[in-house]
Amino acid sequence: MSENFTSPDFYNIDELLSEEHKLIRESTRQWVSKSVSPIIEEYAQKAEFPGHLIKELAEIGAFGPYIPEKYGGAGLDQISYGIMMQEIERGDSGIRSTASVQSSLVMYPIWKFGSDEQKEKYLPKLATGEIMGCFGLTEPDHGSNPSGMISNFKSDGDDVILNGSKMWISNSPFADIAVVWAKDENKRIHGLIVERGMDGFTTPETHNKWSLRASSTGELIFDNVRVPKKNILPGKSGLGAPLMCLDSARYGISWGAIGVAMDCYNTALKYSLERIQFGKPIAAKQLQQKKLAEMLTEITKAQLLSWKLGKLKNEDKATSAQISLAKRNNVDMAMNIAREARQILGGMGITGDFSIMRHMMNLESVITYEGTHDIHLLILGNEITGHNAF
Ligand code: TGC
Ligand code: FAD
């Protein structure tokens, strides 16, 4: 189980990490073992977000790890960010979602595209978790194709009037602010900071999910919401702006998926050594060894992929297509490992006594959000051939 967690490191990848990276991993890992693993199954079963973890996530520096310290972030590098996402997602994808939405989808756009006033007003409070944010791109009729969005705003004096709706928004039911993407009168996409309490703005919760049950998901509905023009992000417009945020979050997910895979592998390995059938541990059987050997192979490949991508990101050289490759590969890898690990546990694998089934269900969301498995393939296809097949 997670409490006895040691991460597989078959290729001595630790040698590629700095002492600071290892310290961050150790402290995040300890926090997950103490605060997430013991409670998460119960919250997932109840389909409830463990809101008390917000303060603790802020305390371990999970909100804005790479945002400069002057804005309340930790000023760390991209590998540190990835390692934190890996460790948090080992606990649960929904908790990692909360950290990555706050960091890469709310703090990042305000930091990159916001005015000085917006940065000073929101970033320090987002870093401490005093306020929480969400990111509204997806609409009921525009998921993979956000450029078709119909949410729109019209100028009215010092304000704009915002109409439309967003769907499948992580953290929307409790968020204090939403970074919302909508079109102006010239059909140009802009980011707006919409605050809870603005007239006409509601955030109904989405129920009956079989996946990401410990994460709160909802809608954003804008019915003639009056938003001050000073809440528009001035630094960048067009679809490229939200796509830059997605690049950052997708990179973090590539690491997070490794955390899930490692947890499933460890659980399955331990169980296989203890479970006796036909007079021997099932770990002594070739069929189970094949599963474990293939898991370790895929985890090792994914570790190298995300580490190298982190180096490229640190140098500001990572391309969107490189990020798509890592998100797509690593989430698929984690899904396959979760399925195989579940089988190694036999009937026990379907219970909440082990984390595998919860991880497996969570990954159904992770392979869909932040660009589906198919969309990332098409991004790579476009990069390879120069032909856009969307
Ligand atoms: P396309 O014509 O290719 O591009 C439009 C403009 O954007 C530029 N661009 C990028 N800029 C920065 N970063 C990137 N990654 C970029 N990709 C493209 C591009 O150069 C162009 O610029 P310009 O100046 O020429 O206008 O756009 P398209 O409409 O063909 O769509 C491309 C496509 C399909 C790849 C894109 O729309 C896409 O990625 N779709 C998937 C949607 C998606 O991922 N949604 C995620 C919603 S958020 C979420 O799921 C959060 S879950 C969080 C959690 O809980 O953890
Ligand atoms: P669709 O776009 O309708 O796709 C349906 C199927 O068609 C998919 O298999 C897709 O791969 C395929 N497809 C689509 N286009 C093509 C094509 N051109 N060629 C071949 N196949 C294609 N969004 C946010 O903005 N903010 C959030 O915080 C957020 N959180 C989420 C949390 C959860 C739990 C979930 C499930 C989703 C979340 N999303 C969020 C939305 C998520 O990003 C979208 O679900 C995702 O982008 C896919 O959009 P869709 O669901 O509309 O599927």
Side-chain angles (χ1 to χ4, degrees):
M1 292 279 285
S2 306
E3 282 56 50
N4 301 324
F5 187 76
T6 48
S7 52
D9 184 12
F10 200 60
Y11 267 32
N12 294 335
I13 294 165
D14 264 16
E15 287 176 4
L16 303 173
L17 303 178
S18 67
E19 286 311 309
E20 186 180 45
H21 293 147
K22 287 185 238 177
L23 273 173
I24 289 166
R25 182 178 62 193
E26 195 49 37
S27 57
T28 315
R29 184 170 293 179
Q30 279 178 16
W31 175 75
V32 169
S33 294
K34 173 175 76 68
S35 293
V36 181
S37 302
I39 57 120
I40 197 65
E41 179 64 28
E42 185 192 336
Y43 279 86
Q45 293 280 1
K46 295 192 286 196
E48 191 180 317
F49 172 66
H52 67 277
L53 293 184
I54 286 176
K55 195 163 163 286
E56 296 182 35
L57 278 163
E59 280 165 6
I60 64 162
F63 294 156
Y66 58 83
I67 301 289
E69 286 169 282
K70 74 185 254 210
Y71 295 121
L76 296 169
D77 75 345
Q78 290 291 324
I79 292 182
S80 304
Y81 171 53
I83 286 173
M84 289 180 106
M85 296 305 107
Q86 170 186 290
E87 293 303 317
I88 295 172
E89 193 146 3
R90 175 175 78 77
D92 190 78
S93 302
I95 307 305
R96 195 271 307 138
S97 261
T98 295
S100 50
V101 168
Q102 185 88 342
S103 301
S104 285
L105 300 184
V106 179
M107 295 177 76
Y108 175 87
I110 295 174
W111 171 48
K112 280 283 172 191
F113 318 132
S115 63
D116 287 344
E117 190 191 339
Q118 289 166 345
K119 290 183 211 184
E120 277 152 27
K121 179 173 178 191
Y122 297 107
L123 290 177
K125 288 184 179 167
L126 288 160
T128 59
E130 186 182 337
I131 60 170
M132 293 298 290
C134 66
F135 176 88
L137 182 66
T138 306
E139 299 189 348
D141 294 328
H142 299 93
S144 297
N145 176 27
S147 71
M149 69 173 67
I150 48 183
S151 291
N152 66 88
F153 60 90
K154 292 187 171 56
S155 176
D156 187 26
D158 288 341
D159 303 325
V160 296
I161 308 296
L162 175 65
N163 278 290
S165 67
K166 301 286 175 181
M167 190 177 181
W168 295 118
I169 307 304
S170 299
N171 298 348
S172 87
F174 62 81
D176 303 284
I177 62 169
V179 172
V180 176
W181 302 93
K183 286 179 179 166
D184 67 13
E185 284 135 309
N186 299 318
K187 311 277 181 230
R188 183 88 183 153
I189 294 172
H190 296 264
L192 298 89
I193 303 170
V194 180
E195 297 186 6
R196 184 172 296 284
M198 288 179 170
D199 275 350
F201 175 42
T202 49
T203 61
E205 184 153 9
T206 303
H207 295 289
N208 298 333
K209 291 179 299 171
W210 282 107
S211 172
L212 232 64
R213 287 170 64 80
S215 166
S216 179
T217 314
E219 297 169 58
L220 301 172
I221 297 175
F222 315 106
D223 181 6
N224 287 315
V225 182
R226 183 171 285 278
V227 183
K229 280 186 180 156
K230 66 176 168 45
N231 281 29
I232 297 175
L233 299 176
K236 187 168 170 69
S237 62
L239 187 62
L243 288 176
M244 280 175 67
C245 308
L246 295 183
D247 275 353
S248 177
R250 290 166 177 173
Y251 161 73
I253 290 173
S254 84
W255 282 89
I258 299 171
V260 174
M262 293 196 305
D263 193 45
C264 293
Y265 167 78
N266 271 28
T267 306
L269 173 59
K270 191 159 178 283
Y271 189 89
S272 71
L273 290 165
E274 289 168 359
R275 177 70 175 165
I276 311 287
Q277 289 293 292
F278 298 95
K280 278 190 178 169
I282 56 170
K285 308 290 178 190
Q286 286 184 349
L287 282 175
Q288 306 312 321
Q289 289 185 2
K290 176 176 186 287
K291 290 191 176 84
L292 292 165
E294 287 175 352
M295 286 182 202
L296 183 59
T297 306
E298 292 307 317
I299 289 170
T300 305
K301 282 151 68 176
Q303 286 171 325
L304 287 166
L305 202 60
S306 285
W307 175 80
K308 177 60 184 168
L309 188 60
K311 292 291 276 186
L312 289 170
K313 275 201 73 87
N314 278 345
E315 295 159 10
D316 213 11
K317 286 187 189 155
T319 66
S320 299
Q322 286 170 335
I323 293 170
S324 284
L325 186 153
K327 191 266 185 187
R328 181 174 189 273
N329 180 79
N330 290 9
V331 176
D332 190 52
M333 172 281 298
M335 284 190 93
N336 291 333
I337 287 181
R339 287 196 188 110
E340 295 290 300
R342 214 285 308 145
Q343 290 189 56
I344 291 180
L345 267 70
M348 288 308 292
I350 71 150
T351 72
D353 293 350
F354 296 89
S355 51
I356 298 175
M357 193 79 188
R358 176 170 44 78
H359 283 317
M360 196 197 293
M361 301 303 274
N362 283 343
L363 288 167
E364 293 292 338
S365 290
V366 182
I367 204 159
T368 294
Y369 67 32
E370 296 279 3
T372 67
H373 196 60
D374 296 333
I375 287 296
H376 289 297
L377 179 137
L378 296 175
I379 290 171
L380 285 169
N382 191 14
E383 176 81 6
I384 296 163
T385 67
H387 289 287
N388 174 343
F390 296 120

